[in-house]
Amino acid sequence: YAMSIDKVYTIDNGVLSEYNTTNSPLSPNTVSGLGIDGNDNLWISTGDFTLPNVVQTVTPDGTWTTYTAADHPVIDRLGRDFHFDEEGNVWVVNNPIGALKFDGTVWTNPILDNRDEITNLSVHSIKSDKEGKMYFAHEYGITTLLDGEWENFINEEVITNNSQDTSIDFD
């Protein structure tokens, strides 16, 4: 899968095709992120400043599901990064305010919901390690979550208007 501003390209056995607003239910927003979960479902985030932000899934058999802020108010400004944890939750960057978690039924923003315990809200990347500990990279460092406990693993001094993009990965 590859994303473009207004479409998602697929390459299957060397054959190029695409999802766009003419041939699929793809949201007319700007495509901002993609992810593939353990069941081969494609997850798409779309958003811009004029249209409501949307998360969509496409199953391998072509069934589309759309999640909007009208039904799930925490879906607002979505980023590019999807992460699928070992418990079956879907995570997506909600830039600039935290990260969204979908447990199969409800969308929440655990970082925003725990604002008193977490210094930085502008998440750029989400990953989890083998033990299930979540890591959220933001412009000031890394915040972790394990068994409901938050910890600022790396937390550099906050610099006003810092827009540094960050990411995290494991070897």
Side-chain angles (χ1 to χ4, degrees):
Y1 297 96
M3 64 183 197
S4 178
I5 283 183
D6 60 351
K7 59 186 69 100
V8 175
Y9 293 101
T10 65
I11 301 172
D12 188 11
N13 293 319
V15 177
L16 177 68
S17 60
E18 68 181 57
Y19 294 123
N20 59 50
T21 57
T22 304
N23 70 5
S24 73
L26 182 66
S27 168
N29 290 341
T30 301
V31 177
S32 57
L34 298 176
I36 306 295
D37 67 19
N39 296 317
D40 291 331
N41 297 309
L42 170 63
W43 289 78
I44 305 166
S45 63
T46 62
D48 60 29
F49 294 105
T50 59
L51 296 171
N53 292 292
V54 173
V55 174
Q56 294 180 290
T57 63
V58 186
T59 63
D61 68 1
T63 303
W64 286 73
T65 304
T66 300
Y67 304 96
T68 67
D71 297 320
H72 307 276
V74 297
I75 298 176
D76 45 19
R77 292 218 21 226
L78 300 171
R80 67 190 175 277
D81 192 31
F82 278 92
H83 178 72
F84 308 96
D85 68 23
E86 295 296 322
E87 296 174 5
N89 298 307
V90 177
W91 293 83
V92 62
V93 169
N94 191 47
N95 193 13
I97 319 169
L100 300 186
K101 175 184 176 183
F102 182 61
D103 65 6
T105 305
V106 177
W107 287 92
T108 59
N109 190 336
I111 291 181
L112 188 60
D113 295 344
N114 291 280
R115 190 175 193 151
D116 293 342
E117 298 179 46
I118 304 168
T119 304
N120 304 294
L121 300 176
S122 191
V123 173
H124 296 154
S125 182
I126 307 165
K127 300 289 181 199
S128 57
D129 64 16
K130 292 184 285 191
E131 289 76 36
K133 188 172 188 176
M134 300 294 299
Y135 292 83
F136 304 88
H138 44 77
E139 66 263 43
Y140 307 116
I142 299 170
T143 298
T144 60
L145 172 64
L146 180 64
D147 298 329
E149 296 295 321
W150 295 94
E151 174 188 5
N152 283 319
F153 184 66
I154 299 172
N155 192 27
E156 304 210 357
E157 184 176 331
V158 175
I159 300 169
T160 305
N161 296 323
N162 186 349
S163 61
Q164 181 177 341
D165 196 12
T166 59
S167 63
I168 187 169
D169 215 337
F170 299 100
D171 64 10

